[in-house]
Amino acid sequence: MNIHSHKIQGFLGVIGDPVQHSLSPLIHNYWLQRAEIRAYYNAFHVPATHLKMLINSFKYMNCIGFNVTIPHKQTVIPLLDRVDPIALAVGAVNTVVNRDGRLHGYNTDVEGFIIPLRPYMDIIMSGTAFIIGAGGAARAVMYALKRAGISNIAVMNRDEQRAVQLVCDADVQAATYPFTSRLPDVEKISLLVNTTSLGMVGQPALDLDLTGLSPTAIVYDLIYNPWVSGLLHQADIQGCRTINGLPMLVYQAQLAFQHWFSSTPEVSEHLFSILQGDLLCGL
Ligand code: NAP
């Protein structure tokens, strides 16, 4: 990394509720240390009632920037001075840069999501991309798939109206389905993505029968804790290629770091082994 580290001082962090289990401090402090930047990245527990006050105080402190997680990715938007067009189109901000007291918002989840799928674009294009969920993460997933030229998409969500709204906002032709425990009759699923919190540690399981899913399908769970979710375990048995949420987390972090320091930190096997070790320690 080529950074004039002696000039950079300040703090960074992730704001959310809950936020205590976030791996972002581990990732960013690893890169900050390696780049010899004199800054520290914290996790800030911020309830919705305190969001505005905290954002305003960050502007005038030596805050270099911050990440935004559940439940603030949408509500933070009106509190910022400028929002990047991609983040506006997605309707969610996960990265903020403080430029002399003016806060600029970006969305790095879009790119972070698609990077691990790049080697499999031909497979995905050969069928339907099936998204489970219609919340903030699903919006980034939908935008990323559309931008990658994938037009055959279907969405299943507990609140089907929210899925309809997602499809409408993204301006795509996509079928929507209410949440069921069996895969709906969708033409050859080539990519199945879980964007709900179901299956995450402390949350109910994602009860979905994968019978009939082709072994050529890719199953991608945005969850990384547990390391192998129930969905990925089932997909594995079915013979499908599986991807958990850790690569997305790391790549969205890499892009956030680029926004803050105009420098690209290395995504290494060593970093992944530290993160995997941390997750497995928490079992
Ligand atoms: P969100 O906006 O709150 O959306 C939650 C989604 O989960 C909605 O579709 C919701 O359905 C569904 N859901 C929640 N409880 C459910 C239940 N009991 N039964 C059926 N559906 C249920 O949250 P988000 O920001 O999209 O985040 C979702 C997940 O993605 C989280 O686990 C988060 O950690 C993960 N994520 C991972 C990364 C990464 O880098 N790996 C990045 C972003 C997000 P309704 O609309 O019907 O309520």
Side-chain angles (χ1 to χ4, degrees), residues 14-34:
V14 52
I15 60 169
D17 181 17
V19 77
Q20 60 272 25
H21 298 304
S22 171
L23 285 180
S24 294
L26 200 52
I27 298 170
H28 285 291
N29 286 322
Y30 174 89
W31 285 330
L32 289 169
Q33 212 173 13
R34 289 177 94 83

Side-chain angles (χ1 to χ4, degrees), residues 95-136:
T95 299
V96 177
V97 184
N98 185 8
R99 297 199 173 101
D100 301 319
R102 289 181 60 77
L103 299 180
H104 295 220
Y106 299 89
N107 187 305
T108 67
D109 281 337
V110 169
E111 197 60 18
F113 165 77
I114 209 79
I115 289 173
L117 287 181
R118 290 239 169 93
Y120 312 115
M121 281 301 161
D122 287 349
I123 297 174
I124 298 167
M125 299 266 191
S126 72
T128 304
F130 187 73
I131 305 173
I132 308 167

Side-chain angles (χ1 to χ4, degrees), residues 15 46-59 72 75-76 78-79 103:
I15 60 169
V46 182
T49 45
H50 291 50
L51 182 67
K52 191 172 180 185
M53 187 186 71
L54 187 103
I55 297 288
N56 282 331
S57 57
F58 271 8
K59 275 187 175 191
H72 306 313
T75 47
V76 77
L79 306 175
L103 299 180

Side-chain angles (χ1 to χ4, degrees), residues 13-16 66-70 72-74 76 93-96:
V14 52
I15 60 169
F66 54 94
N67 286 126
V68 184
T69 189
I70 292 176
H72 306 313
K73 285 184 184 181
Q74 281 146 318
V76 77
V93 160
N94 77 323
T95 299
V96 177

Side-chain angles (χ1 to χ4, degrees), residues 5-262:
S5 53
H6 57 284
K7 288 189 186 160
I8 302 168
Q9 274 189 351
F11 71 91
L12 301 116
V14 52
I15 60 169
D17 181 17
V19 77
Q20 60 272 25
H21 298 304
S22 171
L23 285 180
S24 294
L26 200 52
I27 298 170
H28 285 291
N29 286 322
Y30 174 89
W31 285 330
L32 289 169
Q33 212 173 13
R34 289 177 94 83
E36 298 180 7
I37 298 173
R38 288 197 289 162
Y40 195 76
Y41 185 107
N42 286 291
F44 297 98
H45 175 230
V46 182
T49 45
H50 291 50
L51 182 67
K52 191 172 180 185
M53 187 186 71
L54 187 103
I55 297 288
N56 282 331
S57 57
F58 271 8
K59 275 187 175 191
Y60 304 108
M61 295 164 83
N62 60 342
C63 174
I64 296 165
F66 54 94
N67 286 126
V68 184
T69 189
I70 292 176
H72 306 313
K73 285 184 184 181
Q74 281 146 318
T75 47
V76 77
I77 290 179
L79 306 175
L80 304 175
D81 298 295
R82 186 185 160 272
V83 179
D84 173 72
I86 292 177
L88 268 184
V90 173
V93 160
N94 77 323
T95 299
V96 177
V97 184
N98 185 8
R99 297 199 173 101
D100 301 319
R102 289 181 60 77
L103 299 180
H104 295 220
Y106 299 89
N107 187 305
T108 67
D109 281 337
V110 169
E111 197 60 18
F113 165 77
I114 209 79
I115 289 173
L117 287 181
R118 290 239 169 93
Y120 312 115
M121 281 301 161
D122 287 349
I123 297 174
I124 298 167
M125 299 266 191
S126 72
T128 304
F130 187 73
I131 305 173
I132 308 167
R139 299 185 84 83
V141 166
M142 177 67 95
Y143 187 90
L145 292 175
K146 186 184 169 188
R147 203 174 58 163
I150 294 155
S151 52
N152 204 353
I153 300 174
V155 185
M156 174 171 99
N157 195 48
R158 177 177 58 180
D159 175 353
E160 194 186 351
Q161 200 43 47
R162 204 176 176 195
V164 170
Q165 190 62 51
L166 168 68
V167 165
C168 177
D169 291 349
D171 195 20
V172 289
Q173 297 283 329
T176 62
Y177 298 90
F179 202 89
T180 58
S181 58
R182 291 183 71 89
L183 286 174
D185 194 16
V186 175
E187 189 203 338
K188 193 187 168 217
I189 295 175
S190 54
L191 171 70
L192 187 143
V193 189
N194 175 35
T195 74
T196 74
S197 43
L198 293 176
M200 193 164 84
V201 160
Q203 297 291 321
L206 171 58
D207 177 21
L208 185 64
D209 181 357
L210 297 186
T211 307
L213 185 67
S214 162
T216 58
I218 295 155
V219 180
Y220 191 166
D221 198 334
L222 266 47
I223 288 168
Y224 50 82
N225 192 5
W227 184 252
V228 180
S229 65
L231 175 73
L232 294 191
H233 180 66
Q234 259 201 84
D236 216 20
I237 293 170
Q238 196 91 354
C240 300
R241 191 181 297 276
T242 60
I243 305 173
N244 78 5
L246 196 65
M248 174 176 174
L249 183 80
V250 172
Y251 287 117
Q252 66 74 30
Q254 184 187 42
L255 296 162
F257 196 97
Q258 269 177 20
H259 280 300
W260 297 322
F261 300 110
S262 304

